[in-house]
Amino acid sequence: MDMTSRMASHFTDAVQAFEDSRTALVDPLAQAVDLMFAALANNGKILACGNGGSAADAQHFIAELVGRFERERLPLAGIALNVDTSIMTAVGNDYGFDEIFERQVNALGQAGDVLVCISTSGNSANVLRAVGAAHERDMHIVALSGKDGGVLGELMTSNDVHLCVPHDRTMRIQEVHILLLHALCDGIDALLLGDSE
């Protein structure tokens, strides 16, 4: 395959990943918007976590909530659990890397809050432990994963929403995750600002 064809194949593959995700994820995406809006409307907050590219996505999502998405509105309560290097290195050093999100959920999470956890494989140990801590605190989970959902999918309850991208390549899963996060922001804003569209 020549380089031009190789580059073109990325677009073809991405379009298919987006189409498959639209079919599979529109309904749970709408459920996730409702879950997050309910938390925010009841003085709750959204916590988010992930590793690597998923950490960047978690931080990006929270920035859209606290700052703004496309329109002016009041800031929304959100915390990215992967941005405080002092907490992450202290907990990682003293307790282990697997506890860096769990301890923050235990410190900051309250009943009715939402934990957005992002893991392309669904098998990140520190994310899984954060889910366990969130469930113990009667929080809801919105999980973004891919492939077969991994262990993360098995941890979801009827009170949670699992947005599992139906694709096996990490890059495609991450690309769809960005779309899902932007769609969540748009949905929350639509409910906050009373859009009827």
Side-chain angles (χ1 to χ4, degrees):
M1 176 185 295
D2 64 32
M3 189 56 68
T4 300
S5 298
R6 186 180 187 92
M7 294 301 102
S9 72
H10 283 288
F11 288 91
T12 302
D13 193 36
V15 167
Q16 190 61 57
F18 280 99
E19 286 290 343
D20 293 344
S21 297
R22 180 177 66 173
T23 301
L25 299 179
V26 168
D27 288 338
L29 192 55
Q31 294 168 7
V33 169
D34 289 339
L35 198 65
M36 291 182 182
F37 177 74
L40 293 167
N42 288 290
N43 295 316
K45 62 188 167 298
I46 297 174
L47 307 179
C49 64
N51 297 292
S54 298
D57 289 346
Q59 187 173 348
H60 178 165
F61 178 60
I62 296 301
E64 303 283 22
L65 297 180
V66 175
R68 66 171 180 183
F69 184 52
E70 292 187 315
R71 294 175 291 173
E72 291 296 334
R73 56 150 164 77
L74 293 173
L76 303 175
I79 303 168
L81 303 180
N82 43 263
V83 299
D84 190 322
T85 55
S86 294
I87 290 175
M88 290 177 60
T89 55
V91 172
N93 185 63
D94 294 348
Y95 300 97
F97 187 71
D98 289 354
E99 294 191 37
I100 61 172
F101 302 139
E102 175 186 21
R103 289 189 71 84
Q104 292 182 78
V105 169
N106 282 327
L108 302 169
Q110 301 291 327
D113 288 348
V114 174
L115 174 67
V116 176
C117 49
I118 309 172
S119 171
T120 56
S121 68
N123 294 317
S124 302
N126 54 11
V127 171
L128 300 176
R129 289 182 67 134
V131 169
H135 280 152
E136 289 174 5
R137 302 185 74 76
D138 294 322
M139 295 170 60
H140 300 287
I141 310 297
V142 174
L144 282 71
S145 71
K147 303 178 183 178
D148 64 359
V151 177
L152 186 57
E154 298 169 12
L155 297 179
M156 296 297 97
T157 71
S158 59
N159 295 319
D160 302 324
V161 179
H162 188 196
L163 301 170
C164 182
V165 177
H167 206 284
D168 289 328
R169 295 184 76 182
T170 297
M171 73 170 92
R172 296 288 95 91
I173 296 165
Q174 290 175 329
E175 289 160 2
V176 175
H177 281 177
I178 287 290
L179 173 64
L180 296 175
L181 293 170
H182 282 164
L184 290 169
C185 291
D186 176 70
I188 292 167
D189 279 6
L191 292 176
L192 281 171
L193 300 170
D195 283 1
S196 59
E197 298 177 9

